[in-house]
Amino acid sequence: MKKIYAILLLSLFILSQCKQNESNLLKTVTLKRQANEGVVAANGMVVTAHPIATKIGLDVLKKGGNAFDAAVAVKYALAVVLPKAGNLGGGGYLIYRTSDGEKGALDFRETAPAAASRDMFIEAKTDSVMKQKALLGHLATCTPGTVDGMDKIHKKFCTLPFQTLIQPAIDVAKNGFAISDYDAWTFNRAQKEFRKVNDSSMIFISKKPWKKGDSLIQNDLSKTLERIRDNGRDGFYKGETAQYVIDEINSGGGILRKEDLENYSSKWRKPIEGIYRDSFNIISMPPSSSGGIIIVQLLKGSNAYDFKEMGHNTSKTVHIMTELQRRAYADRAEHMGDLDFYEVPIEMLLDEEYIATRNASINMEKATPSSEIKAGKVDKIESLETTHFSIVDKEGNAVSITTTLVGYFGCKVLVDNAGFFLNNEMNNFSLKPGFPNIFGLVGGEANAIAPGKRMLSSMSPTIVEKNGDLFMVLGTPGGSTIINVNYQNIVNVIDHGMTMQEAVNAKKHHSQWLPDAIVMEEDALDSLTISKLKEMGHTSFRVVEQLGRTEAILIRPDGSYEGAADNRRTGDAIAGGY
Ligand code: DON
């Protein structure tokens, strides 16, 4: 009897050890996915704009890498599979929250070359802005930040060797991948501009239209990635790659120089934080992005209104959101620019009293024309050429990264022999006070061009905590609309009780002070809602095909993750979990 009892005890012990080992490896939660949820998984989630990038990130997590390891692998994969935005030649932002609650931001935004100057896009004789020069071709390019950013992330947080993380991207560049319908559409759309600023031998230039299933092999890019693999950031900012960049720039009259590349350094920054509805802490990007400040201004301003009772996309809710947005974007134009060059009054802009004063001029029944709104004292919606990804690992480390080349394929110049596109980030500076950029955004002194300065951005990778725990990871492309899309996604989940996927799918609206208009997706607002808004004095409405393309993760009450990819209109975005 004693023997049987001992065996039983031993078996129970072994069983409990096995369970413990298993739970060390994988979280054990019962997953019940509701029909209105995105992808649900217990241990890790990767949401990116491309299936190959999502798979590469997920493989890293499954192999035991953390969210930062996966992010570095995903970023390099996107540089290969999403040439229009993925980028080595651009820049971006990271917002992170580690499993023990440490939060931070990395600014790997591009910087203006040393030879840049305030009025370089103003024609002296006519005083007119040479808008095209800041958009298409070599002069539009600023010093890229992506490779330095990934290097900093790797050194601070990653557990796997860099070589292991970049290798999948090299393999895809070398072996090729079958392009999607969406890729073919974007490549075909840019042919005319490609031809203007590249030799006809450039690999994206094709005599016959690109079509789904065509193989894209990028040999020059694979060699550039190999140089980065073998030499780290120096494989990009120095030596052969740097020389190719400078040769390319010189061939087209650009001003980027070797020293600009050598001197580039991304910067760790303190995120913007603010409380929404008592329990939620918003963590988002500080300047050089305007995103974090405006999202927190909008949400703090929203605390005074009960959106749940007002309803989703009703005239009352849209009216209040529009009023908040026009005030916040007026502040953007006046007060925001690169922190290292301009004293952005962050404290004032986020101060509860200041926000209450701004709210005080909001009439519940009547629109305030934007012409009557000024910044507080102290038109075009581009297609989506930036890209965002969100990752959470099994420990709960969360990474939210948005990166861009600005326009699709940036300034459209592919660096000869190096195989990557250069950004057209000059456009995001204020080229002349009051002159709108491609997103219709205006600005002034705070965002004027200066050597080494970062241009103001709207990109806002964001993380939300609930009662001190990780709750949501989100971000989107969309130029000036990025901020409002993030704002509405947060409100959709917190106030309207939507799942992450419902929030992402929900139709969005956008306003940005100037131009004074409400821009919306088709069917975002019904005709009765629009009539009511018109009665309130909102005069201009415009329908656009899409606002944002969010890639987001929500932490469910049982601790598992809901990954929501955005496939409005077109795109290949996908969430993958395990
Ligand atoms: O930094 C910015 O705000 C812009 N360069 C973002 C560009 C963007 O989202 C393009 N996609 N629509």
Side-chain angles (χ1 to χ4, degrees):
M1 188 67 192
K2 255 190 180 170
K3 205 171 159 195
I4 293 174
Y5 189 66
I7 290 173
L8 200 71
L9 265 182
L10 190 67
S11 325
L12 277 175
F13 176 74
I14 291 171
L15 212 71
S16 74
Q17 283 299 300
C18 289
K19 272 245 151 61
Q20 217 174 326
N21 287 340
E22 191 184 315
S23 71
N24 280 344
L25 288 173
L26 296 177
K27 261 193 254 163
T28 44
V29 290
T30 333
L31 296 177
K32 265 202 189 150
R33 184 189 163 275
Q34 314 294 325
N36 54 357
E37 287 180 308
V39 172
V40 169
N43 294 291
M45 184 66 67
V46 179
V47 193
T48 85
H50 200 283
I52 294 176
T54 295
K55 183 179 178 312
I56 286 174
L58 204 53
D59 286 347
V60 170
L61 291 185
K62 286 182 186 167
K63 274 187 214 141
N66 64 24
F68 299 94
D69 289 304
V72 171
V74 162
K75 181 65 241 165
Y76 280 108
L78 286 170
V80 176
V81 296
L82 201 70
K84 75 184 177 100
N87 93 67
L88 297 182
Y93 299 122
L94 155 79
I95 286 287
Y96 69 85
R97 183 187 184 280
T98 61
S99 54
D100 52 15
E102 181 201 328
K103 304 155 218 179
L106 181 66
D107 180 341
F108 53 99
R109 181 80 159 158
E110 302 90 322
T111 51
S117 58
R118 190 178 184 281
D119 298 333
M120 63 184 277
F121 292 101
I122 300 178
E123 202 185 42
K125 264 193 211 152
T126 56
D127 199 33
S128 57
V129 176
M130 299 179 285
K131 188 174 144 192
Q132 270 308 100
K133 287 205 178 227
L135 277 176
L136 183 67
H138 304 70
L139 196 61
T141 287
C142 293
T143 317
T146 295
V147 174
D148 187 73
M150 293 310 110
D151 186 57
K152 287 227 172 44
I153 294 174
H154 186 263
K155 289 195 171 112
K156 191 170 163 92
F157 290 113
C158 290
T159 56
L160 298 178
F162 178 64
Q163 289 76 3
T164 316
L165 301 175
I166 196 174
Q167 193 58 43
I170 297 173
D171 295 342
V172 179
K174 206 181 271 179
N175 302 329
F177 67 100
I179 67 165
S180 68
D181 250 345
Y182 178 58
D183 295 327
W185 178 75
T186 58
F187 297 176
N188 290 332
R189 194 174 147 227
Q191 289 297 309
K192 215 168 124 195
E193 288 168 302
F194 283 161
R195 282 170 209 274
K196 280 191 189 158
V197 288
N198 295 277
D199 287 346
S200 58
S201 60
M202 191 269 245
I203 60 163
F204 290 89
I205 295 180
S206 169
K207 284 207 181 85
K208 22 178 218 175
W210 287 91
K211 55 178 192 331
K212 180 180 173 181
D214 286 348
S215 175
L216 180 66
I217 295 174
Q218 300 172 83
N219 281 323
D220 287 342
L221 179 60
S222 78
K223 287 183 200 132
T224 300
L225 290 167
E226 280 171 353
R227 287 190 290 277
I228 298 171
R229 177 195 64 195
D230 299 339
N231 305 297
R233 74 179 294 291
D234 287 355
F236 183 84
Y237 293 97
K238 290 181 180 169
E240 204 176 328
T241 312
Q243 192 56 50
Y244 290 142
V245 172
I246 299 309
D247 290 347
E248 180 61 63
I249 290 286
N250 288 341
S251 76
I255 55 168
L256 187 72
R257 298 286 173 260
K258 256 191 181 156
E259 299 70 46
D260 295 314
L261 293 171
E262 273 173 25
N263 295 338
Y264 182 85
S265 181
S266 50
K267 292 197 166 179
W268 295 104
R269 301 200 191 271
K270 188 173 169 297
I272 298 291
E273 295 189 54
I275 302 294
Y276 185 52
R277 307 272 185 238
D278 300 329
S279 333
F280 299 92
N281 185 37
I282 314 301
I283 307 156
S284 193
M285 198 64 210
S288 56
S289 179
S290 60
I293 296 178
I294 306 190
I295 289 177
V296 170
Q297 272 194 329
L298 291 172
L299 288 167
K300 281 190 173 180
S302 301
N303 276 327
Y305 305 93
D306 189 346
F307 289 147
K308 189 174 177 184
E309 198 197 278
M310 292 176 176
H312 175 250
N313 281 7
T314 59
S315 56
K316 277 186 183 165
T317 305
V318 175
H319 169 66
I320 294 300
M321 286 184 155
T322 304
E323 291 301 306
L324 292 168
Q325 285 161 359
R326 72 170 103 234
R327 285 159 178 78
Y329 276 78
D331 278 342
R332 181 193 196 279
E334 175 74 18
H335 292 304
M336 294 181 215
D338 183 354
L339 273 178
D340 300 333
F341 285 73
Y342 187 86
E343 209 171 312
V344 181
I346 300 181
E347 239 173 79
M348 175 200 98
L349 294 170
L350 299 179
D351 180 75
E352 299 290 349
E353 257 180 55
Y354 173 74
I355 300 220
T357 324
R358 298 293 271 169
N359 276 21
S361 64
I362 296 178
N363 181 323
M364 290 297 286
E365 309 292 334
K366 206 169 164 299
T368 326
S370 284
S371 55
E372 287 176 19
I373 302 284
K374 298 279 170 284
K377 284 231 165 59
V378 227
D379 139 322
K380 183 179 167 194
I381 305 296
E382 267 287 288
S383 56
L384 306 175
E385 318 312 350
T386 296
T387 190
H388 177 85
F389 60 92
S390 298
I391 301 179
V392 180
D393 65 23
K394 68 177 190 296
E395 266 83 38
N397 295 300
V399 167
S400 184
I401 289 187
T402 315
T403 67
T404 191
L405 286 167
V406 185
Y408 71 127
F409 306 103
C411 72
K412 312 288 187 288
V413 173
L414 188 83
V415 178
D416 202 15
N417 294 313
F420 59 88
F421 285 100
L422 294 169
N423 66 79
N424 54 349
E425 208 58 84
M426 279 293 187
N427 177 273
N428 278 196
F429 278 115
S430 169
L431 302 180
K432 190 181 175 188
F435 184 82
N437 70 16
I438 44 169
F439 309 112
L441 291 168
V442 291
E445 207 46 54
N447 191 31
I449 304 176
K453 186 172 175 180
R454 290 174 160 87
M455 56 302 299
L456 186 61
S457 173
S458 302
M459 292 188 289
S460 348
T462 298
I463 290 176
V464 181
E465 293 174 318
K466 181 179 180 181
N467 299 323
D469 294 328
L470 181 66
F471 181 63
M472 201 189 301
V473 185
L474 75 162
T476 175
S480 58
T481 71
I482 289 173
I483 296 164
N484 289 330
V485 169
N486 282 332
Y487 167 46
Q488 285 165 59
N489 279 322
I490 293 170
V491 168
N492 285 347
V493 170
I494 295 177
D495 293 306
H496 299 302
M498 294 186 194
T499 65
M500 195 72 252
Q501 191 68 60
E502 285 174 323
V504 167
N505 292 351
K507 301 283 174 128
K508 308 288 188 315
H509 54 90
H510 163 79
S511 62
Q512 59 177 50
W513 180 48
L514 296 176
D516 187 346
I518 296 180
V519 176
M520 58 199 174
E521 292 181 301
E522 202 170 352
D523 301 328
L525 312 179
D526 59 31
S527 53
L528 187 64
T529 305
I530 294 177
S531 317
K532 283 188 188 161
L533 285 164
K534 281 185 177 162
E535 276 167 27
M536 291 175 176
H538 298 276
T539 50
S540 177
F541 292 83
R542 196 153 65 83
V543 174
V544 289
E545 276 178 294
Q546 76 185 99
L547 288 172
R549 187 183 292 137
T550 305
E551 320 299 354
I553 300 172
L554 185 69
I555 315 305
R556 303 157 94 226
D558 65 0
S560 62
Y561 310 135
E562 181 198 353
D566 192 341
N567 277 303
R568 61 210 322 114
R569 195 161 71 101
T570 45
D572 304 311
I574 188 160
Y578 80 109

